[in-house]
Amino acid sequence: MKKPYLVLLIIAICSTTMFSQDQTENNNTPQNFNELKINMTNLIGFKWADIAYERTLNEESSIGISVLTRLGSDKNNDSGLDEYRTFSITPYFRQFFGKKYAQGFFVEGFAMVHSGEDQTYDYDSITQNGSYSSDNYTDLAIGLSAGAKFITKRGFVAEIYLGLGRDVLDNSGLDVVGRGGIALGYRF
């Protein structure tokens, strides 16, 4: 008589345990909310260290901050893209449109404080001589980016994004700044 009750108790415990595991998986709420990433495109192509920290707010949005600095003292970086920038700090907000938790296609709004060295060529038409002069600048750009983020089950992050921002203080010779690349990192 006690064996059927024991079997029913074991079945009830097992089904409750399996049901609660199923709820946790379907809830799709991860335990990990932080990400550290490095932009490999900037590192390899432009000799810039571009490191980002991102904090997931919920399943659809996150905030982050990216710090970029030029590696070495090569002022004549012939990348052709924003070549005189030496430092930037970029806070951003991302809105995700994927089915998975804070991944898939996203749109990003950012504000970039950047500094560098502007070089201008001064030409004297009377003496027909010219010279280069350089001035340091600090400016603020506001912009938008779009991209996609992919995350493995073990937390490896890969993302690709591209965006443009407009300088609003007119302290530099730049009108538009770029933001983008392929970043690799880890969600923890």
Side-chain angles (χ1 to χ4, degrees):
M1 200 71 164
K2 291 186 179 188
K3 286 185 181 180
Y5 292 116
L6 182 60
V7 171
L8 286 175
L9 181 63
I10 291 172
I11 291 173
I13 291 172
C14 288
S15 65
T16 304
T17 305
M18 289 190 307
F19 179 73
S20 66
Q21 287 175 351
D22 189 40
Q23 287 287 73
T24 306
E25 290 173 6
N26 287 338
N27 192 6
N28 203 15
T29 305
Q31 300 292 322
N32 307 325
F33 294 102
N34 302 299
E35 295 175 16
L36 278 177
K37 299 172 283 198
I38 186 162
N39 188 327
M40 299 305 293
T41 307
N42 285 340
L43 182 64
I44 295 168
F46 305 115
K47 293 194 223 176
W48 289 336
D50 187 358
I51 299 170
Y53 168 78
E54 190 170 334
R55 174 81 176 163
T56 304
L57 299 175
N58 56 42
E59 65 274 1
E60 293 181 342
S61 61
S62 66
I63 58 172
I65 190 161
S66 174
V67 176
L68 178 141
T69 187
R70 182 172 56 197
L71 296 174
S73 60
D74 183 15
K75 292 184 181 179
N76 296 320
N77 180 4
D78 53 359
S79 65
L81 176 69
D82 203 4
E83 59 198 45
Y84 300 112
R85 186 184 339 169
T86 57
F87 178 80
S88 71
I89 187 163
T90 309
Y92 58 87
F93 173 82
R94 289 182 174 171
Q95 184 68 40
F96 292 92
F97 298 96
K99 293 180 180 179
K100 295 183 178 179
Y101 196 95
Q103 53 183 306
F105 176 74
F106 65 82
V107 175
E108 165 189 285
F110 68 87
M112 178 189 295
V113 176
H114 60 102
S115 62
E117 188 175 45
D118 253 346
Q119 289 190 352
T120 56
Y121 183 74
D122 299 320
Y123 180 73
D124 186 359
S125 61
I126 296 172
T127 63
Q128 296 183 351
N129 289 329
S131 64
Y132 283 98
S133 63
S134 59
D135 296 319
N136 292 330
Y137 72 86
T138 300
D139 212 332
L140 171 69
I142 306 294
L144 290 173
S145 299
K149 180 188 290 192
F150 308 98
I151 304 171
T152 67
K153 291 180 182 180
R154 295 186 188 239
F156 177 77
V157 176
E159 65 183 32
I160 184 167
Y161 59 99
L162 186 62
L164 291 173
R166 168 78 60 186
D167 275 345
V168 294
L169 301 179
D170 292 329
N171 290 339
S172 72
L174 303 171
D175 291 329
V176 176
V177 295
R179 173 167 162 73
I182 299 171
L184 302 176
Y186 185 71
R187 181 179 276 186
F188 58 97

